[in-house]
Amino acid sequence: MSRALFASALPLVSGRLSEEDRRFTAFMDKRALTQNIIAQLNAELALQTDAANTARDEATNEESRAEDKYDMRSQSAAYLAAGQARLAGEIADAIAAWQAVPVRAFGPGEEIAAGALVTLEAGGRRDFYFVGPHSGGLEAQAGDATVVVVTSASPLGRQLVGRRVGDQVVLNGRSTLVSHTVVAVA
């Protein structure tokens, strides 16, 4: 997507950003960010599916048959396969949820909601968060910055949803609470 087209598609609602930060945030392509997240989830799904299949094969393999009443190899492998299959199902649900996230622009003064790319500032440091439906804590690269996924169910997500540029959120620091300012929503 060209910079001009992207800039018109995702206007930046900003308070106190420098011009460089304003350009960076304005051109951060949320579609590419969403695709990056989905790609990470697809890789994890492939890994978990392969692990579940391997464990299932181990559980049903003739060599895993119990040799005596205390041999639990086959049963342990079956439990492992079931857990990995369940995890693969959860990842597939997460992928579907991310594919349904609307990538849209947030207008001036609009409240933070799902699909918002939020910039928080505290002590001169800026951090980027993407409010999503699933996979909180997942990190994705957007240019030189790391964007962390938060969900509305997380402590940070609960504080962010409904806030606007200029509002404060309080997060746990290493030894004290730290006030962060919402400086941009895109």
Side-chain angles (χ1 to χ4, degrees):
M1 178 181 291
S2 74
R3 285 184 159 212
L5 178 60
F6 187 87
S8 67
L10 296 173
L12 177 65
V13 180
S14 179
R16 303 180 343 245
L17 288 178
S18 70
E19 187 58 33
E20 180 181 336
D21 287 332
R22 190 181 326 276
R23 276 186 265 118
F24 173 77
T25 306
F27 292 112
M28 195 179 292
D29 187 342
K30 289 198 293 186
R31 279 191 180 85
L33 189 58
T34 301
Q35 292 307 313
N36 180 311
I37 292 165
I38 291 170
Q40 287 184 51
L41 291 171
N42 276 322
E44 183 65 22
L45 177 61
L47 181 69
Q48 289 302 322
T49 301
D50 185 49
N53 288 334
T54 301
R56 185 197 67 225
D57 291 345
E58 174 69 22
T60 58
N61 189 322
E62 183 66 33
E63 291 180 15
S64 293
R65 178 178 281 169
E67 295 175 2
D68 59 37
K69 66 181 184 178
Y70 301 108
D71 189 353
M72 303 293 286
R73 239 179 319 172
S74 178
Q75 188 173 5
S76 295
Y79 287 142
L80 179 61
Q84 289 172 321
R86 188 171 32 258
L87 180 56
E90 291 172 6
I91 294 168
D93 291 345
I95 292 168
W98 275 102
Q99 289 171 334
V101 168
V103 177
R104 67 178 188 86
F106 282 76
E110 194 171 346
E111 292 182 347
I112 295 170
L117 180 61
V118 180
T119 304
L120 296 181
E121 179 182 47
R125 178 180 166 182
R126 291 192 175 96
D127 295 306
F128 301 96
Y129 298 94
F130 193 37
V131 181
H134 206 285
S135 311
L138 187 74
E139 295 181 353
Q141 287 302 121
D144 294 335
T146 299
V147 179
V148 179
V149 173
V150 296
T151 66
S152 59
S154 70
L156 176 56
R158 285 191 302 269
Q159 286 192 61
L160 287 176
V161 172
R163 304 275 186 181
R164 293 180 166 89
V165 169
D167 289 347
Q168 301 283 315
V169 295
V170 179
L171 305 175
N172 288 328
R174 291 183 186 211
S175 61
T176 183
L177 296 176
V178 179
S179 180
H180 290 70
T181 304
V182 177
V183 294
V185 179

